[in-house]
Amino acid sequence: MEEGYRKYSKKAKSFIIPLWPMEPSVIVPQSSIKWLIRQRDDVISFKAAIMDRTQSHWTFMSDHILEHDSHRDVIVRYLSKKLAPLTPPMSDELSACFEQYWGLDTKGWKDVLVFDDMMKMVARASNRVFNKEVCRNETFFYHDVMVSQYIAINAFLIRAAPPFIRPAFARLLQIPLIYHHHQCTKRLLPIVKQRLADIGRKRQDDNFSYEEPNEFLSWLVSDAYDRNDPFDLDPTMITYRMLVMNFAAIHPASITITNVLFNLYSSAPEKGFVEGIREEATRILAEGNGTFTKAGLDKMIRTDSAIRESLRYSSLTSKGLDRTVIAKEGITMEDGLFLPQGTKVGTALFSIHRDDSFYPHAHEYDAFRFSRPLEEAKQDLSVVEAALELKDIPQNTPLTQTSDTFLEFGHGRHACPGRFFTSAQLKLLVANMVLNYDVKLLATRPANTWIADYGIPPRKATLQVRRRKTQSEV
């Protein structure tokens, strides 16, 4: 991929790469990204590409979930707009997670498996928002995490299999996935049925005393009633959709926060990354009277920058903006290249993120790359000048902002709608950790492993952690 990027993409040319286990893909240059994301969905399809990447027919238990992705509308209409009241309880859940998994010992150091612990914490924090009733059900979220892992693993293995054995192979791989899926469904389905009954009754009887919980499950049920879609009103289908949401929330966020921790704690201490984030988190927590709020998270530009930089430096995939040509007549690109029906299309995400022409010293992790310009500009202005000339101060580039040079959340109309929720969750994870734990620095960063176009963090690598003393204990 890197060789093709340097040889062709930098000259505004496309190239074809055989990324096992996927079919060969046309990698369009960075200069053609604006063209790619403008194309109609009935010509070049984002949905078809995602269904292929996830092998949703075999992993999501129903093609309907992605073919009719109503959950995406619910994310846009509700989740992204209701983060303010959800931020404090999500922070509380993460505090409880750290205490349970990393402990309260202020004297001895403890080895922790970073990736495993992050999966558990992300699962619990996500379900505090999705449905509080299961977020601390140890049995549920164990199987929930296993479902997420098997979806990712099975999708990869099914795509690697020759087409003629794929159906039989997929059914074999489904056995453990179906088991864990059933265990989750057994615990979630009764809750879904109760929500359907309560919300449905409230819509028919204004005198019925019922306060709809501020949670994703209730929004999903209300949306299904609004659309009056019998398929989406089926409690089993709602349960399946909830588990797909869990996969979308847990898997990428767990990988991301694992990379953030290894990048931060393998950085030279004189760079002051951890201390700078800790100072910021302490200040924002004090401004919130001991509570992290949505408004406070928005001010945490160092933490935001450290996460965005980690996504840039430790990309989750080498290929981004996946699309599949579905128009029977194909399509011709700006440069005259014809793409027939069935062509897989994407761009060299990792190489763009590591391009020095877009990011100076791109092969270095610089946690404050995106926050430093704003902080330095403010330092150069007096209080009066800052008030009068705020428009001239460089603006922060937040984690959630996509562009044709930052593609981890996609770009354009199909950019990940859940990125605002993920951003809040990741900031809370980092803030809770730096405030409450000391972590021994690493001499070298444990290396990620590349399998096809997936960047896998070191799953068995550990960090040594110790609970920080409170002010009264010092």
Side-chain angles (χ1 to χ4, degrees), residues 132-152:
K132 184 180 178 181
E133 291 172 61
V134 296
C135 82
R136 293 194 183 182
N137 184 318
E138 294 279 343
T139 304
F140 172 82
F141 86 75
Y142 164 74
H143 291 291
D144 188 28
V145 167
M146 294 305 294
V147 166
S148 295
Q149 290 186 328
Y150 273 110
I151 287 175

Side-chain angles (χ1 to χ4, degrees), residues 1 19-23 25 27 46-57 59-60 66 151-160 247 316-324 344-347 349 450-455:
M1 182 74 80
L19 277 172
W20 180 89
M22 298 172 286
E23 298 174 30
S25 295
I27 305 299
F46 166 77
K47 189 177 294 185
I50 294 303
M51 291 178 71
D52 177 64
R53 181 176 275 274
T54 61
Q55 288 295 299
S56 59
H57 178 73
T59 58
F60 289 174
L66 288 189
I151 287 175
I153 293 169
N154 287 9
F156 178 83
L157 293 176
I158 292 168
R159 295 171 76 199
F247 165 71
L316 276 61
T317 63
S318 64
K319 174 174 167 279
L321 297 181
D322 285 356
R323 302 288 192 273
T324 300
K344 310 295 184 185
V345 185
T347 195
L349 179 151
W450 284 95
I451 302 177
D453 69 332
Y454 296 95

Side-chain angles (χ1 to χ4, degrees), residues 69 133 136 180 209 259 311 322 326 338 389 434 436 441 458:
D69 52 354
E133 291 172 61
R136 293 194 183 182
H180 292 293
S209 180
N259 282 327
L311 282 167
D322 285 356
I326 62 172
F338 176 70
E389 302 180 36
V434 298
N436 296 307
L441 296 179

Side-chain angles (χ1 to χ4, degrees), residues 359-389:
Y359 301 98
H361 308 291
H363 290 268
E364 298 176 10
Y365 175 75
D366 179 3
F368 298 156
R369 180 185 297 271
F370 302 103
S371 60
R372 188 180 297 111
L374 176 60
E375 294 203 279
E376 288 180 347
K378 284 187 175 181
Q379 287 176 358
D380 291 340
L381 293 172
S382 69
V383 175
V384 175
E385 288 174 325
L388 294 175
E389 302 180 36

